[in-house]
Amino acid sequence: MKKSFLACIALLVVVSVSPAQQKPTAPVTDSATGPALPYSPSLDVSSMDKSVDPCVDFYQYSCGGWQKKNPIPPDQVSWGVYGKLYQDNLNFLRGILEQAAATKGQRDTVTQEIGDFYSACMDEAGVEKLGAGALKSELAAIDQVKSARDVAPVVARMQLDLGGVLFGSGARQDPDNSEQQIAGVDQGGIGLPDRDYYTKDDPKSKETRERYVQHVQRVFELLGDSSDVAKQNAAVVMRIETALATASLTRVERRDPYKRKNKIKLAELEQMVPSFDWAAYFTTLKTPQFEIINVAPAAFFKELEARLKDEPIGNVRNYLRFHLANGYAAYLSSAFVQENFDFYLQYLRGAKEMQPRWKRCVQYTDRDLGEALGQAYVRKVFSPELKASTVDMVKRIEDAMALRIEQLDWMSPETKEQALTKLHGIRNKIGYPDKWRDYSSVKISSNDFLGNVRRSNEFERHRNFNKIGQPVDHGEWGMSPPTVNAYYNGQMNDINFPAGVLQPPLFDAKMDDAPNYGNTGGTIGHELTHGFDDQGAKFDAKGNLRDWWTKDDKQKFEERTKCVADQYSQFVVVDDIKINGRLTLGEDVADLGGEILAYIAWQGATKDKNLKPVDGLTPEQRFFIGFAQWDCSNSRPEELRLRAQTDPHSPSKYRINGVVVNMPNFATAFSCKAGQPMVNPPEKVCKVW
């Protein structure tokens, strides 16, 4: 992913084809009526700070003006070009949803689905009236858990709505046969953002754990427990979660797909965790029959067995009670919503105010009915011409990658052949899916918000579980069309660019090629390079986990990526916290490789054009400023601290400066001299792709 949290193999299809799923014709833009996205250029001179020497701090030179003009809104934890476009998108989608909700009489299926979902979410009075009573039936089911064997069906029901309660589960591509889906279970079951929050001993981590226990206590009090009982229950939850977290893989360890591969027979899982009734669990989930399941990591599930075996059943019930209320908190009455905000957004991430309800409701609609809302979105913003120009840019950057591979002086002909085979096998998905997801089986009511959330979540979870034993659907997307993001999926070997990320200022049809290639071209190259980063390089052209490198080439590759990891590990994020260069390695390699590819492709696309300076900037300078301005941003210290532990992306400043110091073309473009901060000595320039 260019932005957000993962180098995505998506957080995260076997459906009968209805008329709503037939291959859509190219959407017709409808900007003349209804809401419209505001225009921002892909290179904005007023966003620069020309008092800064670009050879000293290129990020500040390119983005200093933007940072001054764009303070962080009180309901945000950070504010950047991507985030601003995302918020513009929310406003645009709000117009679509309000229009859908207000439409009277006969409505088409998509309009009814998104309009009624949004209406129910905006019915704050109806949600408030229910209070904790909205969870009455689920709490009663938990109360009937009398032994460890009773836990399984209750956890299965909770996971249908809430995801990873106690552990994670779902269908996944077989790492040895990427054309097939198999069952999988994974670590999970914690309420803090990452396992390291439970294991680190620095003062801030200890403070965070104390605040988390207070949060857990308040949730129990909202469920009706007395203060003393709630405090005891919170300590129990913290102890159970700490045990599960300690047995989990770190984020760096999870970057190795081999550490996430552990295919065993279902009978072996039953022997590993005999206290959990797996038969009842999968029966409740209504999964297809299967024999093989991926269980990763095994140490986590051995610890899960210990917790189920050793904990008094009352402790397990209280763990489940908390995760039920905590998981649903954002959709309940104001007391739950406020508590959820106070801890997760205000304390952990530094937000000053809660987002207005309409913003949250737009986001929930996009999350739960994304391909219904996406149909309305692309009709208005994604023209056939825009798709064609994007496809052309992708093709040029793929050609640049092929040229780059062929010219590598450190890779053997045998490995080059495999790399080119993988490159030519990449599927490009641009704008929107070829088949729209059919939500007609989901009951959407205009006055039952929590019910809508539950039913849409259950639909998605069942849709996922029903993949087990089925061929992989290569047409499936992991993001909705309005999403302002992009991703590469190693096992699918595809790059995915939703329509939302192909809008100004990220892709600007009114602008010259230089900033567009620097910005969107770099993003395309970034996602393409993920197929060959420290994770992607372990998957072959078909997406199978297979070592296709010669031993010597693999060693040379690792030496080159180590250069990147070591370089980024010296950059300070906030206070005394530095980048975890092993965690961010894949994204850092993709940032560097992607921009190199974009530069080559841009030169090829404009070789016959007479390029001239614009606004006093040469075409080469405009390329690099366009690149830098995709990530102009401001972030709160709390958000920087959290992301330093959990985000595989480096902070914005280093996603720009860390790239240009390794691109001699940049130094040439700005006449930088040896010894200046933005110029690495030749022997320290990292060269991977």
Side-chain angles (χ1 to χ4, degrees), residues 62-76:
S62 300
C63 292
W66 192 97
Q67 290 176 312
K68 291 176 183 176
K69 292 188 298 180
N70 291 276
I72 305 172
D75 66 344
Q76 301 294 315

Side-chain angles (χ1 to χ4, degrees), residues 353-369:
E353 291 180 5
M354 191 183 303
Q355 290 188 351
R357 190 168 186 89
W358 72 261
K359 280 189 182 181
R360 288 175 275 147
C361 290
V362 171
Q363 292 172 84
Y364 298 149
T365 310
D366 184 36
R367 181 197 64 193
D368 292 348
L369 299 174

Side-chain angles (χ1 to χ4, degrees), residues 1-32:
M1 271 187 192
K2 187 74 179 268
K3 195 70 174 171
S4 190
F5 17 51
L6 297 172
C8 178
I9 297 177
L11 219 175
L12 274 306
V13 182
V14 183
V15 183
S16 60
V17 177
S18 72
Q21 285 180 289
Q22 300 300 324
K23 185 172 181 178
T25 57
V28 177
T29 52
D30 182 23
S31 57

Side-chain angles (χ1 to χ4, degrees), residues 402-410 416 600:
L403 179 65
R404 194 77 175 174
I405 291 171
E406 290 167 354
Q407 293 176 343
L408 288 176
D409 59 2
W410 58 267
K416 284 183 179 180
I600 295 170

Side-chain angles (χ1 to χ4, degrees), residues 75-381:
D75 66 344
Q76 301 294 315
V77 297
S78 63
W79 194 236
V81 170
Y82 263 59
K84 191 172 185 297
L85 176 57
Y86 176 69
Q87 294 299 319
D88 289 341
N89 237 7
L90 290 183
N91 274 303
F92 183 78
L93 294 170
R94 178 191 190 183
I96 292 174
L97 288 168
E98 289 183 344
Q99 191 174 51
T103 301
K104 304 299 182 184
Q106 191 69 27
R107 296 182 292 175
D108 63 77
T109 302
V110 166
T111 303
Q112 180 270 316
E113 289 169 344
I114 62 176
D116 286 355
F117 189 99
Y118 184 75
S119 290
C121 182
M122 290 298 291
D123 180 17
E124 195 165 8
V127 174
E128 193 70 26
K129 190 185 302 181
L130 291 172
L135 304 178
K136 184 177 180 180
S137 61
E138 289 87 350
L139 290 168
I142 292 172
D143 195 48
Q144 293 303 307
V145 172
K146 305 301 182 186
S147 69
R149 297 289 288 180
D150 296 337
V151 170
V154 174
V155 166
R157 280 294 319 158
M158 290 176 66
Q159 286 186 356
L160 281 175
D161 294 346
L162 300 172
V165 176
L166 209 59
F167 58 89
S169 66
R172 60 163 294 172
Q173 282 176 267
D174 187 335
D176 300 317
N177 179 10
S178 64
E179 294 300 319
Q180 284 294 123
Q181 297 274 7
I182 62 172
V185 289
D186 202 348
Q187 66 191 45
I190 60 177
L192 283 167
D194 184 68
R195 57 91 65 194
D196 287 358
Y197 278 79
Y198 297 85
T199 59
K200 288 188 173 182
D201 285 330
D202 60 279
K204 183 62 179 179
S205 296
K206 291 178 180 178
E207 177 197 294
T208 299
R209 288 195 289 272
E210 291 173 2
R211 291 290 295 266
Y212 178 58
V213 171
Q214 294 169 14
H215 163 68
V216 178
Q217 177 180 339
R218 284 193 285 269
V219 171
F220 277 120
E221 290 172 355
L222 289 172
L223 288 175
D225 293 358
S226 68
S227 178
D228 289 343
V229 170
K231 187 174 183 179
Q232 294 171 11
N233 291 342
V236 166
V237 169
M238 188 63 183
R239 189 180 70 249
I240 293 174
E241 289 188 9
T242 301
L244 295 177
T246 304
S248 300
L249 294 174
T250 67
R251 289 190 181 238
V252 173
E253 289 170 333
R254 288 182 67 82
R255 288 190 59 75
D256 183 350
Y258 286 99
K259 289 181 176 163
R260 292 183 273 117
K261 175 187 171 182
N262 181 34
K263 290 162 60 178
I264 62 176
K265 292 182 178 179
L266 180 57
E268 294 177 70
L269 175 60
E270 292 169 338
Q271 292 173 0
M272 186 186 297
V273 195
S275 296
F276 192 80
D277 190 343
W278 291 102
Y281 172 78
F282 288 115
T283 297
T284 304
L285 293 175
K286 299 179 181 178
T287 63
Q289 294 292 312
F290 62 90
E291 293 184 4
I292 301 298
I293 184 168
N294 195 78
V295 179
F300 175 88
F301 287 91
K302 291 175 181 176
E303 181 58 39
L304 176 61
E305 167 62 19
R307 291 305 96 222
L308 292 172
K309 185 177 179 181
D310 297 341
E311 289 287 347
I313 197 61
N315 289 354
V316 178
R317 284 198 299 267
N318 282 319
Y319 167 89
L320 295 176
R321 288 176 65 226
F322 166 71
H323 279 278
L324 175 75
N326 199 53
Y328 276 131
Y331 322 118
L332 299 175
S333 54
S334 57
F336 285 94
V337 173
Q338 187 67 50
E339 177 56 38
N340 183 268
F341 168 82
D342 288 347
F343 180 71
Y344 285 106
L345 285 170
Q346 187 173 62
Y347 173 71
L348 280 184
R349 303 181 68 184
K352 305 303 180 187
E353 291 180 5
M354 191 183 303
Q355 290 188 351
R357 190 168 186 89
W358 72 261
K359 280 189 182 181
R360 288 175 275 147
C361 290
V362 171
Q363 292 172 84
Y364 298 149
T365 310
D366 184 36
R367 181 197 64 193
D368 292 348
L369 299 174
E371 290 194 16
L373 182 57
Q375 292 179 58
Y377 177 79
V378 298
R379 282 197 296 266
K380 293 179 177 291
V381 304

Side-chain angles (χ1 to χ4, degrees), residues 434-446:
D434 289 338
K435 293 181 180 178
W436 295 112
R437 195 161 297 162
D438 178 12
Y439 299 100
S440 60
S441 63
V442 185
K443 179 187 175 184
I444 303 295
S445 169
S446 61

